[in-house]
Amino acid sequence: MAVDQNKIIETCLLAGRIMVEGGSEIYRVEDTMRRIVRKASNNDSQIFATITGVLVTMDADENTRFSQINRRGIDMEKINIVNELSRKFTDGTIDLDQLRQRLKRLDRELPNFPLWLRVLGAGFEGMFLMIIFTQTHAWVDMPLTMLAAATGYLVSDRLGQISRIRFVQEFMGALALGLVGILGVRLGLGHNIDNVLIGAVMPLVPGVPITNALRDLIEGNLLAGIERGFEATLTVFAIACAIGTLLHYV
């Protein structure tokens, strides 16, 4: 029985950690973990999750287990797959061992789009959001905005592979896109630097974390909401510092 409980807790913690790393709301994480424990053991559990760790205690067990979270990002595919697997488990389509193995495979081998496609997508995102936010069809600025947005995303993504300090990633990414935008306008490749920067910076702006922070606060998860909101604020501050520095000195 002890081995089964350990397996249940391990599976529960793995699912929760993957969801938090993907940027899920805390109430969704806790609900998914609680459903896994209830289905596997017919017992309730005490779940506590933040953006830095998840904790679970089964009512039938005196031990408490904790899993630390060292990296975070935005990956909706992770959240969707964990939700799908947890639903299959609660419906009886798969058993606990299958759920555990698939979660381990997801944690180890998450499918991802190739880098060139993600960079291209970031470029298109910046270009189209420039149109939305500036309310103007500045055709001459669109190619430069796309190039600047793609460059900023590429620099931020590559730094993310070698550094765990997210604010450095966003700062350097914003610095790179700002340089491309400013130099491009001065070389005649664009017309309005404001339009270019407004659109190009959008792929780096933490819109989802800010939204999730508000949702966590509304749900009553004050600690997670404050943590995530403060992290998003620092990210915005890093981006603003990079752009402000360029506009002042370049």
Side-chain angles (χ1 to χ4, degrees):
M1 186 63 178
V3 175
D4 293 337
Q5 287 181 342
N6 287 332
K7 187 182 297 184
I8 293 170
I9 292 177
E10 180 183 347
T11 305
C12 173
L13 288 173
L14 180 58
R17 178 173 62 79
I18 292 174
M19 293 185 72
V20 174
E21 288 178 351
S24 175
E25 307 94 319
I26 296 301
Y27 79 89
R28 189 187 305 274
V29 175
E30 294 179 344
D31 181 67
T32 300
M33 296 172 66
R34 191 172 290 109
R35 289 176 182 271
I36 291 174
V37 174
R38 186 178 297 125
K39 173 64 177 178
S41 65
N42 293 321
N43 291 313
D44 287 329
S45 57
Q46 305 300 319
I47 307 292
F48 180 75
T50 69
I51 64 173
T52 54
V54 289
L55 180 148
V56 58
T57 301
M58 293 177 58
D59 288 354
D61 190 357
E62 296 180 353
N63 296 323
T64 297
R65 295 275 296 275
F66 175 81
S67 179
Q68 187 175 4
I69 297 169
N70 295 316
R71 64 180 187 275
R72 295 179 301 277
I74 301 299
D75 196 327
M76 297 302 177
E77 187 175 8
K78 271 187 176 183
I79 302 171
N80 179 62
I81 293 176
V82 175
N83 281 333
E84 182 180 353
L85 291 175
S86 66
R87 285 194 295 267
K88 288 183 177 180
F89 176 66
T90 55
D91 293 341
T93 306
I94 59 177
D95 58 24
L96 183 64
D97 288 329
Q98 291 174 319
L99 174 63
R100 184 163 168 252
Q101 291 303 319
R102 293 189 185 185
L103 286 174
K104 285 185 175 181
R105 190 181 309 124
L106 172 64
D107 188 39
R108 184 176 61 252
E109 303 171 356
L110 177 69
N112 200 357
F113 293 105
L115 178 61
W116 69 267
L117 185 58
R118 286 182 279 135
V119 171
L120 183 64
F124 277 110
E125 177 187 357
M127 182 177 67
F128 290 125
L129 287 179
M130 183 267 289
I131 298 175
I132 293 174
F133 284 113
T134 61
Q135 294 294 300
T136 178
H137 295 81
W139 302 104
V140 68
D141 292 329
M142 292 174 68
L144 179 60
T145 302
M146 182 176 180
L147 176 61
T151 302
Y153 178 85
L154 177 62
V155 171
S156 178
D157 182 81
R158 291 299 88 189
L159 284 176
Q161 303 299 318
I162 60 177
S163 173
R164 288 175 51 189
I165 306 176
R166 292 188 55 196
F167 313 114
V168 173
Q169 303 170 32
E170 275 83 16
F171 180 85
M172 297 304 298
L175 206 63
L177 71 87
L179 282 173
V180 171
I182 292 174
L183 293 178
V185 169
R186 291 184 178 179
L187 292 174
L189 302 178
H191 176 69
N192 192 317
I193 185 60
D194 293 335
N195 292 345
V196 173
L197 293 181
I198 288 173
V201 80
M202 284 300 115
L204 300 181
V205 173
V208 175
I210 292 174
T211 303
N212 287 347
L214 293 176
R215 293 191 64 176
D216 285 333
L217 289 172
I218 293 172
E219 288 288 333
N221 295 302
L222 301 181
L223 180 60
I226 293 173
E227 288 175 337
R228 186 168 277 155
F230 185 70
E231 185 178 50
T233 301
L234 288 179
T235 300
V236 172
F237 181 73
I239 296 172
C241 284
I243 298 299
T245 300
L246 284 176
L247 291 176
H248 182 73
Y249 290 105
V250 177

